[in-house]
Amino acid sequence: MHERKEEGITIDFFESVYHGEPPWDIGHPQKEYIQLEHAGEIVGSVLDVGCGTGENALYLAAQGHDVWGIDFAPTAIQKAQEKAAQRHLAATFLVLNVLELHTVERTFDTVIDSGLFHSLSHEERPLFVDNLATVIRRGGTYFMLCFSELTPVPDLSTLKDFMPNLSELKPEDYARLRVTQAEIKASFQDGWRINYIRPATLEARLGPNEVHGWLSSISKD
Ligand code: SAH
Protein backbone atom coordinates (compact mmCIF):
# COMPACT_ATOMS: atom_id res chain seq x y z
CA MET A 1 0.00 0.00 0.00
CA HIS A 2 1.23 3.49 -0.79
CA GLU A 3 2.13 5.43 2.34
CA ARG A 4 1.74 9.13 1.88
CA LYS A 5 4.42 11.19 3.59
CA GLU A 6 3.03 14.23 5.31
CA GLU A 7 4.87 17.33 4.16
CA GLY A 8 5.19 20.59 6.04
CA ILE A 9 4.39 23.92 4.45
CA THR A 10 6.93 24.23 1.62
CA ILE A 11 9.84 26.62 1.12
CA ASP A 12 8.19 27.73 -2.12
CA PHE A 13 5.06 28.77 -0.26
CA PHE A 14 6.98 30.86 2.28
CA GLU A 15 9.36 32.23 -0.34
CA SER A 16 6.57 33.59 -2.51
CA VAL A 17 4.72 35.02 0.52
CA TYR A 18 7.89 36.93 1.46
CA HIS A 19 7.85 38.64 -1.94
CA GLY A 20 4.80 40.41 -0.53
CA GLU A 21 3.92 41.12 3.10
CA PRO A 22 3.00 38.08 5.19
CA PRO A 23 0.31 38.71 7.84
CA TRP A 24 2.68 37.65 10.63
CA ASP A 25 5.42 40.04 9.46
CA ILE A 26 4.26 42.92 11.64
CA GLY A 27 7.32 45.19 11.49
CA HIS A 28 8.00 45.03 15.22
CA PRO A 29 8.73 42.30 17.77
CA GLN A 30 5.96 40.12 19.18
CA LYS A 31 4.93 41.57 22.54
CA GLU A 32 5.32 38.16 24.20
CA TYR A 33 9.06 38.31 23.45
CA ILE A 34 9.34 41.89 24.71
CA GLN A 35 7.71 40.75 27.96
CA LEU A 36 10.06 37.75 28.27
CA GLU A 37 13.07 40.03 27.78
CA HIS A 38 11.76 42.50 30.39
CA ALA A 39 11.20 39.62 32.80
CA GLY A 40 14.84 38.56 32.39
CA GLU A 41 13.87 35.15 30.99
CA ILE A 42 15.90 35.57 27.78
CA VAL A 43 19.49 34.95 28.86
CA GLY A 44 22.79 35.01 26.99
CA SER A 45 23.16 34.05 23.35
CA VAL A 46 19.99 33.58 21.33
CA LEU A 47 19.06 31.54 18.26
CA ASP A 48 15.78 32.48 16.52
CA VAL A 49 14.50 29.45 14.57
CA GLY A 50 12.30 30.35 11.58
CA CYS A 51 13.21 34.01 12.17
CA GLY A 52 11.44 35.39 9.08
CA THR A 53 12.50 39.00 8.45
CA GLY A 54 14.08 39.13 11.89
CA GLU A 55 12.06 41.54 14.07
CA ASN A 56 12.29 39.39 17.22
CA ALA A 57 15.98 38.58 16.62
CA LEU A 58 16.86 42.24 15.96
CA TYR A 59 14.98 43.39 19.05
CA LEU A 60 17.03 40.99 21.20
CA ALA A 61 20.26 42.04 19.43
CA ALA A 62 19.43 45.65 20.32
CA GLN A 63 19.09 44.56 23.95
CA GLY A 64 22.69 43.31 23.84
CA HIS A 65 22.25 39.58 23.15
CA ASP A 66 24.53 37.72 20.73
CA VAL A 67 21.85 36.70 18.21
CA TRP A 68 21.62 34.35 15.25
CA GLY A 69 18.50 33.92 13.14
CA ILE A 70 17.88 31.12 10.68
CA ASP A 71 15.13 30.55 8.14
CA PHE A 72 14.83 28.42 5.00
CA ALA A 73 13.29 31.27 2.94
CA PRO A 74 16.18 33.22 1.30
CA THR A 75 14.04 36.33 0.75
CA ALA A 76 13.20 36.50 4.48
CA ILE A 77 16.89 36.21 5.40
CA GLN A 78 17.85 38.87 2.88
CA LYS A 79 15.26 41.26 4.36
CA ALA A 80 16.54 40.49 7.88
CA GLN A 81 20.14 41.21 6.83
CA GLU A 82 19.08 44.51 5.23
CA LYS A 83 17.25 45.58 8.39
CA ALA A 84 20.27 44.68 10.54
CA ALA A 85 22.51 46.85 8.32
CA GLN A 86 20.04 49.77 8.31
CA ARG A 87 19.69 49.64 12.10
CA HIS A 88 23.44 49.14 12.69
CA LEU A 89 22.76 45.96 14.64
CA ALA A 90 25.12 43.00 14.77
CA ALA A 91 23.11 39.82 14.24
CA THR A 92 23.93 36.79 12.11
CA PHE A 93 21.24 35.61 9.67
CA LEU A 94 21.60 32.34 7.76
CA VAL A 95 19.51 30.42 5.23
CA LEU A 96 19.08 26.98 6.82
CA ASN A 97 16.39 24.35 7.28
CA VAL A 98 15.60 23.77 10.97
CA LEU A 99 15.83 20.04 10.25
CA GLU A 100 19.55 20.63 9.65
CA LEU A 101 20.30 22.63 12.78
CA HIS A 102 22.94 20.09 13.82
CA THR A 103 25.20 21.54 11.07
CA VAL A 104 25.40 24.85 12.97
CA GLU A 105 28.01 23.32 15.32
CA ARG A 106 27.58 25.78 18.16
CA THR A 107 25.19 26.03 21.06
CA PHE A 108 23.07 28.88 22.40
CA ASP A 109 21.78 29.72 25.89
CA THR A 110 18.30 30.49 24.57
CA VAL A 111 16.33 29.51 21.47
CA ILE A 112 13.21 31.42 20.44
CA ASP A 113 10.46 30.34 18.06
CA SER A 114 7.67 32.59 16.87
CA GLY A 115 5.40 30.56 14.61
CA LEU A 116 7.87 27.94 13.36
CA PHE A 117 6.91 24.79 15.28
CA HIS A 118 3.24 25.02 14.37
CA SER A 119 4.05 25.13 10.65
CA LEU A 120 6.01 21.84 10.77
CA SER A 121 4.30 18.57 9.86
CA HIS A 122 3.73 15.87 12.47
CA GLU A 123 6.58 13.90 10.91
CA GLU A 124 8.95 16.87 10.98
CA ARG A 125 8.31 17.88 14.61
CA PRO A 126 10.32 15.04 16.26
CA LEU A 127 13.18 15.61 13.80
CA PHE A 128 13.12 19.30 14.65
CA VAL A 129 13.22 18.56 18.39
CA ASP A 130 16.25 16.25 17.92
CA ASN A 131 17.99 19.00 15.94
CA LEU A 132 17.05 21.61 18.54
CA ALA A 133 18.82 19.54 21.21
CA THR A 134 22.10 19.94 19.29
CA VAL A 135 22.07 23.77 19.35
CA ILE A 136 20.93 24.45 22.91
CA ARG A 137 23.24 24.07 25.89
CA ARG A 138 22.33 21.89 28.87
CA GLY A 139 20.01 23.93 31.06
CA GLY A 140 19.31 26.33 28.16
CA THR A 141 15.72 27.23 27.37
CA TYR A 142 13.57 27.06 24.24
CA PHE A 143 10.66 29.51 24.10
CA MET A 144 7.95 28.60 21.65
CA LEU A 145 5.05 30.79 20.56
CA CYS A 146 2.46 28.88 18.52
CA PHE A 147 -1.24 28.98 17.63
CA SER A 148 -3.54 27.03 19.91
CA GLU A 149 -6.58 24.89 19.27
CA LEU A 150 -8.66 27.77 20.72
CA THR A 151 -7.87 29.88 17.67
CA PRO A 152 -10.74 29.81 15.20
CA VAL A 153 -9.93 28.40 11.77
CA PRO A 154 -8.97 31.54 9.82
CA ASP A 155 -11.41 33.24 7.51
CA LEU A 156 -9.66 32.64 4.21
CA SER A 157 -11.16 35.69 2.52
CA THR A 158 -9.26 37.97 4.93
CA LEU A 159 -6.00 36.12 4.31
CA LYS A 160 -6.09 36.11 0.54
CA ASP A 161 -5.06 39.77 0.27
CA PHE A 162 -1.88 39.00 2.18
CA MET A 163 -1.10 35.62 0.66
CA PRO A 164 -2.08 35.35 -3.03
CA ASN A 165 -0.77 31.77 -3.09
CA LEU A 166 -3.01 30.70 -0.20
CA SER A 167 -4.69 28.03 -2.31
CA GLU A 168 -1.43 26.05 -2.12
CA LEU A 169 -2.12 25.34 1.55
CA LYS A 170 -3.93 22.09 2.26
CA PRO A 171 -6.68 21.63 4.89
CA GLU A 172 -4.23 19.62 7.00
CA ASP A 173 -1.81 22.56 6.98
CA TYR A 174 -4.46 24.68 8.73
CA ALA A 175 -5.42 21.88 11.10
CA ARG A 176 -1.83 21.40 12.25
CA LEU A 177 -1.33 25.09 13.01
CA ARG A 178 -3.72 24.77 15.95
CA VAL A 179 -1.46 23.03 18.47
CA THR A 180 -2.75 21.51 21.74
CA GLN A 181 -0.89 21.48 25.06
CA ALA A 182 -0.91 17.67 24.87
CA GLU A 183 0.96 17.81 21.55
CA ILE A 184 3.57 20.14 23.03
CA LYS A 185 4.03 17.84 26.04
CA ALA A 186 4.30 14.76 23.81
CA SER A 187 6.96 16.44 21.66
CA PHE A 188 9.20 17.34 24.61
CA GLN A 189 9.31 14.26 26.80
CA ASP A 190 12.78 12.75 26.88
CA GLY A 191 15.63 15.08 27.78
CA TRP A 192 13.47 18.16 28.30
CA ARG A 193 11.68 19.86 31.19
CA ILE A 194 8.56 21.89 30.49
CA ASN A 195 8.68 24.94 32.79
CA TYR A 196 5.29 26.27 31.70
CA ILE A 197 2.80 26.42 28.85
CA ARG A 198 0.69 29.55 29.22
CA PRO A 199 -1.97 31.33 27.16
CA ALA A 200 -0.44 33.95 24.87
CA THR A 201 -1.37 36.12 21.94
CA LEU A 202 0.28 36.27 18.54
CA GLU A 203 0.06 39.65 16.85
CA ALA A 204 -0.75 39.74 13.12
CA ARG A 205 -1.71 42.26 10.45
CA LEU A 206 -5.24 41.03 9.81
CA GLY A 207 -8.54 40.74 11.59
CA PRO A 208 -8.52 39.55 14.33
CA ASN A 209 -5.21 41.29 14.95
CA GLU A 210 -4.36 38.97 17.81
CA VAL A 211 -4.59 35.23 17.66
CA HIS A 212 -4.83 32.90 20.64
CA GLY A 213 -1.73 30.83 21.21
CA TRP A 214 0.51 29.11 23.72
CA LEU A 215 3.83 30.37 25.00
CA SER A 216 5.97 27.46 26.18
CA SER A 217 9.19 27.57 28.17
CA ILE A 218 11.09 24.29 27.82
CA SER A 219 14.60 23.64 29.17
CA LYS A 220 17.06 21.00 28.05
CA ASP A 221 18.18 18.61 30.82
N1 SAH B 1 9.38 34.08 13.32
C1 SAH B 1 8.94 34.92 12.23
C2 SAH B 1 8.29 34.13 11.06
C3 SAH B 1 7.11 33.26 11.45
S1 SAH B 1 6.40 32.37 10.09
C4 SAH B 1 8.02 35.98 12.75
O1 SAH B 1 7.61 35.92 13.91
O2 SAH B 1 7.69 36.90 11.98
C5 SAH B 1 7.29 30.83 10.14
C6 SAH B 1 8.69 30.95 9.54
O3 SAH B 1 9.32 29.69 9.62
C7 SAH B 1 8.72 31.37 8.08
O4 SAH B 1 9.60 32.46 7.94
C8 SAH B 1 9.24 30.14 7.35
O5 SAH B 1 10.00 30.47 6.20
C9 SAH B 1 10.04 29.46 8.42
N2 SAH B 1 10.15 27.99 8.29
C10 SAH B 1 9.14 27.09 8.17
N3 SAH B 1 9.62 25.84 8.09
C11 SAH B 1 10.99 25.94 8.18
C12 SAH B 1 12.06 25.01 8.15
N4 SAH B 1 11.83 23.69 8.00
N5 SAH B 1 13.32 25.47 8.27
C13 SAH B 1 13.58 26.81 8.40
N6 SAH B 1 12.60 27.74 8.42
C14 SAH B 1 11.32 27.32 8.31
Side-chain angles (χ1 to χ4, degrees):
M1 217 169 63
H2 179 67
E3 263 188 54
R4 186 169 152 275
K5 191 170 177 304
E6 189 199 24
E7 269 187 63
I9 303 175
T10 62
I11 298 184
D12 288 352
F13 176 82
F14 281 109
E15 193 42 30
S16 72
V17 173
Y18 279 117
H19 286 122
E21 295 190 321
W24 60 81
D25 197 14
I26 52 177
H28 57 82
Q30 289 282 339
K31 65 183 176 195
E32 297 289 351
Y33 279 108
I34 296 175
Q35 282 165 11
L36 283 175
E37 172 65 12
H38 286 174
E41 292 193 58
I42 309 277
V43 295
S45 57
V46 178
L47 173 66
D48 184 352
V49 286
C51 64
T53 70
E55 288 298 335
N56 297 311
L58 290 168
Y59 165 69
L60 294 174
Q63 305 305 305
H65 295 277
D66 164 23
V67 180
W68 282 31
I70 67 125
D71 200 289
F72 68 6
T75 300
I77 290 297
Q78 194 189 333
K79 288 186 177 183
Q81 287 168 336
E82 285 166 6
K83 285 188 206 175
Q86 279 160 11
R87 299 179 197 177
H88 306 289
L89 289 169
T92 303
F93 290 104
L94 294 177
V95 176
L96 188 72
N97 193 311
V98 295
L99 305 180
E100 288 163 14
L101 276 177
H102 60 274
T103 62
V104 163
E105 290 187 340
R106 71 160 277 191
T107 58
F108 295 82
D109 300 308
T110 302
V111 177
I112 66 165
D113 170 340
S114 173
L116 174 274
F117 181 87
H118 69 198
S119 75
L120 299 175
S121 74
H122 293 296
E123 285 176 3
E124 289 171 331
R125 287 176 187 175
L127 287 176
F128 165 65
V129 174
D130 288 349
N131 270 273
L132 184 63
T134 68
V135 288
I136 194 162
R137 70 156 163 85
R138 289 183 72 175
T141 302
Y142 168 61
F143 293 97
M144 189 237 285
L145 189 57
C146 65
F147 291 154
S148 86
E149 74 279 19
L150 306 177
T151 291
V153 174
D155 172 0
L156 300 188
S157 61
T158 63
L159 291 172
K160 209 144 182 68
D161 293 341
F162 294 95
M163 297 192 280
N165 59 342
L166 199 66
S167 57
E168 289 169 30
L169 288 188
K170 301 177 289 295
E172 58 263 37
D173 292 328
Y174 292 113
R176 269 196 324 256
L177 290 170
R178 303 163 76 238
V179 179
T180 65
Q181 289 207 19
E183 282 177 289
I184 300 170
K185 287 176 187 158
S187 296
F188 292 92
Q189 278 175 340
D190 298 335
W192 301 92
R193 186 184 65 246
I194 297 181
N195 305 310
Y196 57 75
I197 303 174
R198 62 189 192 209
T201 50
L202 284 92
E203 296 169 89
R205 288 189 298 106
L206 48 97
N209 297 117
E210 290 188 345
V211 183
H212 189 280
W214 301 121
L215 175 66
S216 306
S217 164
I218 302 168
S219 297
K220 189 173 119 170
D221 287 342

